[in-house]
Amino acid sequence: MFIRNRFPFFLLLLILVGFGVRTAVAQTDTGLTMNVRAGFDGLYKPGSWVPVQVTVANSGPAVEGELRITLGSAFSGDEVVYNAPISLPTQSNKQVTLYVYLPQFTSELAVELLADNGSSLLTVPSNKLTQLGTNGILYGVVTSTPGDLDFLQDVTGSRLEAAVAYLTLNDLPELPPAWNGLDVVIFHDVDTAQLSPAQLAALSAWVETGGQVVVAGGPGWQKTAVSFADTLPVTISGSESQADLPALSDFAGMPFRDPGPYLVITSSLRNGELLIHQAGLPLLARQAQGQGAVYFLALDPSLAPLVDWDGGPALWQEVAARVALPSPWAAGVRNAYAANTAVSSLPALALPSVLQLILYLLIYVVVIGPVNYIVLKRRNRRELAWITIPVTVLIFSAIAYLTGFQLKGNDTIINEMSVAVGALDSGQMRVQSLLGLYSPRRQTYNVRLPTEAAARPLLNGYGDSPDLYAITRSGDLTLTDVRVDVSGVAAFLADTVQPALPLDGEAALRTQDGRVELAATIRNESDLTLENATLLVGSTAVALGNIAPGAEVSQTALVSPAAASSVTGLPAFSYGPGGGSPLLMNAETILGTSDYYND
């Protein structure tokens, strides 16, 4: 009897908890209400930047303060603070998006609202977070009818797993690096004209650097396609009803569940390729754009014949199969200790050459010995040597200190090394920069980076703690209160998207008498000299030397049959027993030195 009476109470409690999983909201008696949504529908991939949308409403007294996300802990030495200022007048409602780099297997984070005096006003946990593997496909579905594409979690292409995130237009980030956590974005029955210029710019950069966009048809195709008019592979002319689409059902090998007629968006191919067509009418078309692509699907995924069709996975496999595997050198820094060592190596602070030191010491010895003796002897005051020798030592010490301080020790230095990954026909490249801030004295700095950048401390992972107060996003991105000790270096990683170098060229493989020969031509149309330019064919490196601005270089070289087969579709890079990174295997060729560990 006791259990029977309590059952409705527990059922109600479970229902309330279930609603709490979808969103995180908290309200205080001061009139402050905050909602936190993290990740892409709660999903994220390790090694990528994650958007955190914070919506704050204030019905009480005006508040000036900041939003703060703290990851890690001071106890473990890996605490990193991300914050943004916020101004909340009475009866206001504001949304702020923070971008954070999540540690592995993070299941939840918390956002704290602080007043300008540092007091905590409100702390709200985010929604639950689920990590997808780096080698998985994350579909972002921007639609007015969530749920119709749940089966995409089983369409993995050449990856190990897949997941589906249902998003709104407002969920799409304005920060280009934050898009890298998505692999395919599908727009269906939404007004893409509502995307902000920053969102569109970030989306375009993401596609240029490997993202895949699918624009779906349906009754609302005009509003869905409006922002993609110049990049679609087709020219849309209208819509019509088709009694049947045998080309589509034959392609998947599955009959339709629902009889026709079917609404089809009519178009003609403008650029790219037809993947599926009905007597020349594009049903699925693709246009490459840099390393990525834009697709047009002439049907509505929420209507017949696609809805609940068993052939749907085969259709979407055409998109998933073309999602490129991650490049081995696009994964960012893998050895934090080596990266810290590299960024701390500052040629501007190098010691004088051996010859300079010998000359200085020779002059010092001559002055303090023979010269001092001869001068005192001529003046017949050799008893003054006990004064002149210490004075000479002090003078030479002061000269050495002042010379070194003026030439080497008085400048704050930013040391930067970057890896940029792109394609010849891409207008953008993904760039990760290793930044080292050197200070000649113990001091605190604010380091400003462009708005479109994302940055974080580079930690060794051995109890090393960040040398800054916070990573602040307000207009520009600011590394706030970076603490550097005397002659110390504070290291950071920054992710951006930058215009690609204007390079061009062509390459061909020729076989003769059982040998494979590479013939390549590279043209440097940039204003930079390419030093130690190298072509990689599988695991074989072909040195091109330095390529001056406007210059063209041609090279022929024999490559192994295994390297040639990798170009035609077999795995290009091998890791583990019998194989290794092509970068390490060819470090001397690429870097121009065999002593790259110490150079």
Side-chain angles (χ1 to χ4, degrees):
M1 189 66 180
F2 175 82
I3 297 177
R4 185 183 307 154
N5 289 339
R6 293 296 180 103
F7 180 78
F9 169 78
F10 286 120
L11 179 61
L12 177 60
L13 179 62
L14 288 174
I15 292 174
L16 292 176
V17 170
F19 277 113
V21 170
R22 298 298 298 174
T23 185
V25 185
Q27 184 172 3
T28 69
D29 54 8
T30 61
L32 292 169
T33 303
M34 187 157 63
N35 171 270
V36 179
R37 296 179 58 198
F40 297 102
D41 197 12
L43 294 163
Y44 76 98
K45 298 177 75 172
S48 62
W49 291 92
V50 176
V52 181
Q53 285 190 353
V54 185
T55 304
V56 188
N58 182 22
S59 59
V63 172
E64 297 290 332
E66 71 174 51
L67 295 170
R68 177 184 295 181
I69 298 174
T70 303
L71 299 176
S73 68
F75 177 77
S76 59
D78 60 350
E79 182 180 86
V80 180
V81 174
Y82 300 87
N83 67 355
I86 188 168
S87 177
L88 295 166
T90 302
Q91 301 301 326
S92 62
N93 189 308
K94 292 190 176 182
Q95 178 177 297
V96 176
T97 302
L98 295 168
Y99 299 93
V100 300
Y101 192 91
L102 292 182
Q104 288 268 14
F105 309 116
T106 300
S107 60
E108 188 179 81
L109 52 81
V111 178
E112 186 178 13
L113 174 62
L114 294 93
D116 54 5
N117 62 4
S119 62
S120 180
L121 301 176
L122 184 62
T123 300
V124 179
S126 72
N127 52 303
K128 295 298 181 182
L129 290 165
T130 302
Q131 177 178 300
L132 183 68
T134 304
N135 200 30
I137 289 183
L138 181 53
Y139 295 93
V141 182
V142 188
T143 179
S144 59
T145 56
D148 293 325
L149 293 174
D150 286 346
F151 65 87
L152 287 178
Q153 62 186 345
D154 298 320
V155 182
T156 59
S158 58
R159 303 291 185 90
L160 298 178
E161 59 179 333
V164 182
Y166 288 102
L167 310 172
T168 66
L169 291 172
N170 192 48
D171 293 331
L172 299 178
E174 295 186 342
L175 184 72
W179 282 81
N180 297 342
L182 295 165
D183 296 289
V184 180
V185 174
I186 302 163
F187 290 93
H188 165 245
D189 194 29
V190 289
D191 185 4
T192 58
Q194 296 180 13
L195 291 171
S196 70
Q199 286 177 306
L200 289 172
L203 170 60
S204 176
W206 172 71
V207 174
E208 287 277 351
T209 57
Q212 313 286 319
V213 167
V214 180
V215 179
W221 67 266
Q222 292 99 332
K223 64 179 182 181
T224 305
V226 64
S227 293
F228 302 96
D230 297 330
T231 56
L232 286 177
V234 299
T235 301
I236 301 177
S237 55
S239 62
E240 66 181 24
S241 293
Q242 291 272 346
D244 196 10
L245 295 171
L248 181 58
S249 57
D250 292 345
F251 168 83
M254 291 284 181
F256 298 135
R257 288 189 176 186
D258 303 312
Y262 310 116
L263 178 66
V264 180
I265 306 305
T266 57
S267 64
S268 58
L269 184 67
R270 179 173 57 186
N271 291 302
E273 57 182 324
L274 285 178
L275 302 180
I276 308 174
H277 67 93
Q278 177 69 50
L281 175 65
L283 299 181
L284 181 64
R286 177 183 185 271
Q287 166 63 38
Q289 186 174 329
Q291 290 182 289
V294 177
Y295 294 79
F296 177 70
L297 176 63
L299 300 165
D300 190 324
S302 64
L303 299 177
L306 297 187
V307 65
D308 296 330
W309 177 44
D310 293 336
L315 168 67
W316 289 99
Q317 180 68 17
E318 286 294 296
V319 177
R322 289 171 168 81
V323 177
L325 291 171
S327 172
W329 42 72
V333 168
R334 299 187 181 185
N335 187 328
Y337 176 80
N340 270 290
T341 302
V343 81
S344 300
S345 176
L346 300 170
L349 301 178
L351 292 174
S353 68
V354 174
L355 291 178
Q356 290 175 320
L357 290 175
I358 291 175
L359 179 61
Y360 181 81
L361 291 175
L362 181 61
I363 295 173
Y364 171 71
V365 171
V366 170
V367 170
I368 202 171
V371 172
N372 183 55
Y373 176 78
I374 292 171
V375 170
L376 293 179
K377 182 180 179 181
R378 287 184 177 182
R379 293 178 175 270
N380 199 25
R381 301 293 300 272
R382 282 176 291 183
E383 71 276 6
L384 295 178
W386 68 274
I387 296 177
T388 58
I389 289 176
V391 169
T392 303
V393 171
L394 290 175
I395 291 173
F396 271 84
S397 299
I399 291 173
Y401 176 80
L402 293 175
T403 301
F405 186 78
Q406 291 298 324
L407 295 180
K408 306 293 184 182
N410 198 32
D411 294 329
T412 301
I413 299 173
I414 292 286
N415 192 17
E416 178 183 350
M417 291 172 281
S418 298
V419 174
V421 180
L424 280 180
D425 55 353
S426 174
Q428 303 284 332
M429 303 180 80
R430 294 184 186 180
V431 181
Q432 183 171 85
S433 298
L434 182 61
L435 305 175
L437 171 62
Y438 165 83
S439 175
R441 61 186 63 85
R442 182 175 298 169
Q443 195 162 326
T444 300
Y445 299 87
N446 286 337
V447 181
R448 290 191 180 90
L449 300 175
T451 305
E452 62 273 13
R456 58 189 173 93
L458 175 62
L459 303 179
N460 281 326
Y462 304 108
D464 192 18
S465 58
D467 298 317
L468 81 167
Y469 164 69
I471 300 169
T472 304
R473 185 167 294 279
S474 175
D476 292 338
L477 179 69
T478 303
L479 306 177
T480 305
D481 292 344
V482 178
R483 303 177 297 274
V484 189
D485 210 339
V486 178
S487 297
V489 175
F492 300 90
L493 286 171
D495 293 299
T496 59
V497 175
Q498 298 292 333
L501 288 178
L503 306 175
D504 198 5
E506 51 272 339
L509 291 171
R510 299 192 291 258
T511 59
Q512 184 176 2
D513 299 330
R515 300 183 304 174
V516 180
E517 184 181 67
L518 168 72
T521 299
I522 300 295
R523 290 178 290 276
N524 180 11
E525 299 174 357
S526 73
D527 57 358
L528 302 175
T529 297
L530 305 182
E531 299 180 3
N532 297 322
T534 307
L535 288 176
L536 283 180
V537 185
S539 58
T540 300
V542 179
L544 302 176
N546 295 343
I547 309 178
E552 177 180 291
V553 61
S554 297
Q555 184 68 277
T556 58
L558 293 177
V559 298
S560 67
S565 67
S566 71
V567 177
T568 59
L570 295 179
F573 305 103
S574 175
Y575 298 90
S581 164
L583 300 181
L584 289 179
M585 294 168 61
N586 300 285
E588 181 175 356
T589 301
I590 297 170
L591 300 179
T593 174
S594 59
D595 191 25
Y596 58 89
Y597 275 108
N598 299 316
D599 190 332

